[in-house]
Amino acid sequence: MPEFPGGQQELMKYLSRNIKYPQTARDAEVMGKVFVRFLVQKDGTIAEASVLKGEYSKYVYSAEVISLKNHIAQKQEELEKFTADGVSDEILKRRAMELAELNVQAYSSIEKNGGRTEVKVDASDAAVKALEAEALRVVGSMPAWIPGMQDGKPVNTQYVLPIMFRLN
């Protein structure tokens, strides 16, 4: 089995230092795992890197949170209109309390389940292509590996490396 110089821990350090999250994927909030297949040649160099497969997703806000956000926006507009129309202080206070309660509900929902759901993203998406290109770039720039051995001699060996892209 081929090995990255310094072992698995050094490989993880190399990846974390050298992967640059593509802005296209960051803007679209796309993340995932890219499986890169490559050949570690007898001399340890990397060749024939390609994307074997990928698993991609992004977060979308739950319908409950979207509904609450829309309701809050509507209530804020009403409150602004009432203020401009000179409505009594008692009505304004009541409307402000309703708005505050809706905000609490929205934040409670977000805290309870993250207020968002992870959904799969189509592999043809531009953000996915950017993740795949970055994975291939970083694999292509790796230093020579310690080649796989068979009967005490170095041999060409295929290797599959999963590369994670995760937004915090």
Side-chain angles (χ1 to χ4, degrees):
M1 180 87 140
E3 184 179 19
F4 188 84
Q8 198 69 13
Q9 188 173 358
E10 287 301 313
L11 173 59
M12 293 303 114
K13 284 183 192 176
Y14 172 83
L15 292 174
S16 69
R17 281 190 214 120
N18 290 282
I19 290 176
K20 293 171 181 59
Y21 211 108
Q23 194 61 47
T24 306
R26 186 178 301 281
D27 291 346
E29 297 182 358
V30 172
M31 55 200 152
K33 187 185 299 186
V34 181
F35 293 87
V36 178
R37 178 175 37 199
F38 55 93
L39 185 67
V40 178
Q41 299 187 100
K42 293 177 192 179
D43 64 358
T45 57
I46 304 302
E48 300 176 22
S50 64
V51 174
L52 179 63
K53 70 176 186 169
E55 300 166 358
Y56 311 102
S57 62
K58 68 187 262 179
Y59 287 121
V60 294
Y61 290 102
S62 69
E64 178 186 5
V65 171
I66 291 171
S67 174
L68 281 168
K69 285 182 174 187
N70 289 340
H71 197 56
I72 288 167
Q74 179 185 354
K75 290 290 183 185
Q76 283 174 326
E77 286 176 16
E78 285 177 15
L79 193 57
E80 289 168 10
K81 183 178 183 290
F82 288 150
T83 304
D85 291 346
V87 174
S88 76
D89 285 347
E90 190 58 39
I91 292 174
L92 285 176
K93 284 180 188 175
R94 194 173 41 219
R95 294 296 184 161
M97 289 299 290
E98 287 175 11
L99 183 58
E101 190 176 312
L102 284 170
N103 274 304
V104 168
Q105 287 176 18
Y107 286 109
S108 172
S109 174
I110 288 169
E111 284 181 15
K112 186 171 98 183
N113 63 12
R116 58 188 187 183
T117 305
E118 199 169 336
V119 296
K120 293 196 180 298
V121 175
D122 186 73
S124 66
D125 188 277
V128 166
K129 296 298 181 196
L131 293 178
E132 291 176 345
E134 178 59 13
L136 289 171
R137 183 198 67 77
V138 81
V139 166
S141 67
M142 287 192 293
W145 284 42
I146 299 164
M149 303 293 273
Q150 187 172 359
D151 298 326
K153 296 180 182 178
V155 293
N156 291 343
T157 310
Q158 265 197 359
Y159 194 91
V160 176
L161 179 64
I163 298 178
M164 289 290 300
F165 290 90
R166 199 92 179 133
L167 293 168
N168 294 332

